[in-house]
């Protein structure tokens, strides 16, 4: 039972806090069974302890023998230090969840030199409000019980999707970078609407609600985006005029290029990360 397990975090940054917040708010694990650690920032640990009722300890004081799930939530550049630190402490039954971008499950398995169950996790920034699109991919030694635990934990910060690890880069290009595409769209819609005279006090809410409503309709109706687009586009109407302007100005091509660019950069970062780690 997950609610009887103890979760330990190595790293206490914003993503760790998002997960801690979701876990505590959902009560899937008692707050006293959540332990957050970092190297030396005692103030940060005290902050999380006071805010969520979890235990904050220095990394060297983590009670590894009591942990069922270990979450790696520090910076990717610190992975070798973390694996070296864990190698003599981690036990085969303990599940390792990694939110480290660009670090493969295979790299972590080899670093631990054992049959360690490792799950790689890719949330996005909307996890801060419990609305993340989170991908998980499993390592060689992961069983269904491990997957169920990971899904339960991550569902507290949004929706969870299980994918193959080779799909992580394109997932990053779509979901990891996706919020920034949305904000960029918002910037230009808001600026144009204000210049055209729409009340600045309502512009942002109007645009955000419009996009939120469209997304909910897509998820609720389970229709193809193309079908819904055609339904709301009357011949020679305002929407048709707007869409034609988007096409003429390369709207679709720009979106495709953005996703491809982010996906390619994710692949490059993964290669660079592990190359640097191997050489260091």
């Amino acid at each position: 039972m997950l609610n009887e397990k103890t979760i330990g975090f190595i790293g206490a940054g914003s993503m760790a806090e998002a997960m801690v917040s979701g876990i505590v708010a959902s009560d899937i694990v008692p707050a006293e069974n959540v332990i957050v650690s970092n190297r030396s920032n005692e103030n940060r640990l005290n902050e999380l302890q006071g805010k969520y009722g979890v235990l904050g300890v220095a990394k060297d004081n983590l009670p590894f023998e009591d942990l069922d799930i270990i979450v790696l939530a520090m910076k990717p550049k610190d992975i070798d230090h973390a694996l070296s630190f864990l190698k003599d402490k981690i036990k085969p039954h303990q599940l390792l969840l990694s939110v480290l971008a660009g670090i493969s499950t295979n790299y972590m398995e080899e670093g631990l030199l054992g049959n360690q169950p490792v799950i790689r996790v890719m949330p996005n920034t909307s996890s801060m409000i419990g609305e993340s699109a989170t991908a998980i991919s499993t390592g060689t030694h992961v069983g269904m019980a491990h997957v169920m635990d990971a899904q339960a934990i991550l569902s507290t910060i949004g929706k969870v999707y299980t994918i193959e690890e080779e799909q992580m880069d394109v997932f990053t290009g779509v979901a990891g970078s996706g919020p920034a595409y949305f904000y960029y769209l918002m910037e230009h819609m808001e600026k144009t609407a204000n210049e055209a005279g729409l009340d600045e006090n309502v512009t942002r809410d109007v645009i955000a609600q419009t996009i939120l409503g469209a997304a909910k309709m897509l998820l609720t109706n389970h229709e193809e985006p193309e079908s819904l687009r055609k339904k709301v586009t009357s011949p020679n109407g305002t929407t048709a005029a707007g869409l034609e302007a988007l096409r003429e100005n390369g709207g679709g091509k720009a979106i495709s290029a953005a996703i491809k660019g982010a996906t390619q950069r994710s692949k490059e970062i993964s290669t660079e990360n592990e190359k640097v780690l191997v050489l260091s």
Side-chain angles (χ1 to χ4, degrees):
M1 294 289 289
L2 183 58
N3 63 3
E4 297 175 353
K5 294 182 178 180
T6 300
I7 304 174
F9 285 79
I10 299 179
S14 57
M15 191 55 68
E17 180 172 3
M19 293 178 68
V20 168
S21 176
I23 291 167
V24 172
S26 66
D27 201 30
I28 61 166
V29 172
E32 57 267 27
N33 285 15
V34 179
I35 306 171
V36 185
S37 72
N38 61 21
R39 284 189 182 181
S40 58
N41 190 341
E42 187 176 345
N43 289 337
R44 175 60 171 164
L45 296 178
N46 289 337
E47 177 189 358
L48 295 177
Q49 187 167 298
K51 192 172 180 179
Y52 300 105
V54 299
L55 179 62
V57 301
K59 179 170 63 67
D60 291 340
N61 294 330
L62 262 176
F64 280 97
E65 66 281 0
D66 298 329
L67 301 179
D68 300 289
I69 299 168
I70 299 169
V71 182
L72 296 183
M74 66 287 176
K75 294 179 180 178
K77 67 179 181 63
D78 295 325
I79 183 61
D80 276 351
H81 176 83
L83 293 178
S84 176
F85 175 77
L86 286 171
K87 189 182 300 183
D88 298 326
K89 299 178 176 64
I90 198 167
K91 305 300 180 186
H93 73 277
Q94 293 171 315
L95 171 62
L96 190 67
L97 293 184
S98 169
V99 298
L100 308 184
I103 306 297
S104 68
T105 56
N106 181 65
Y107 188 90
M108 289 180 279
E109 289 169 348
E110 290 183 352
L112 295 172
L113 301 177
N115 297 332
Q116 203 64 46
V118 178
I119 295 181
R120 183 176 169 188
V121 178
M122 178 61 68
N124 65 16
T125 57
S126 300
S127 60
M128 309 302 176
I129 58 166
E131 293 290 348
S132 177
T134 301
I136 64 174
S137 60
T138 59
T140 308
H141 310 291
V142 171
M144 184 52 64
H146 299 126
V147 173
M148 291 176 66
D149 281 349
Q151 288 175 332
I153 290 168
L154 294 162
S155 66
T156 69
I157 58 170
K159 291 191 175 183
V160 184
Y161 307 89
T162 302
I163 64 175
E164 298 298 324
E165 189 158 14
E166 56 264 29
Q167 298 174 326
M168 271 293 188
D169 293 313
V170 69
F171 187 91
T172 299
V174 173
S177 302
Y181 308 153
F182 165 69
Y183 299 139
Y184 187 75
L185 175 64
M186 281 283 299
E187 286 178 58
H188 287 275
M189 290 182 72
E190 187 174 331
K191 179 182 178 182
T192 304
N194 288 339
E195 288 174 348
L198 188 62
D199 188 340
E200 293 186 10
N201 294 321
V202 300
T203 300
R204 184 167 301 169
D205 281 355
V206 167
I207 297 171
Q209 180 59 39
T210 298
I211 296 175
L212 178 63
K216 284 187 174 180
M217 185 174 288
L218 186 69
L219 293 174
T220 301
N221 291 2
H222 303 292
E223 289 188 54
E224 293 294 321
E226 181 182 9
S227 173
L228 287 172
R229 174 177 56 77
K230 288 179 177 179
K231 283 183 179 180
V232 300
T233 307
S234 302
N236 299 317
T238 58
T239 305
L243 287 171
E244 184 59 29
L246 275 175
R247 293 189 190 97
E248 288 178 354
N249 288 277
K253 290 181 179 179
I255 294 168
S256 177
I259 293 172
K260 290 177 180 178
T263 299
Q264 180 59 34
R265 184 56 187 144
S266 178
K267 292 178 180 179
E268 292 169 357
I269 289 172
S270 297
T271 301
E272 290 167 4
N273 279 346
E274 295 196 355
K275 186 180 292 185
V276 168
L277 291 169
V278 168
L279 292 175
S280 62

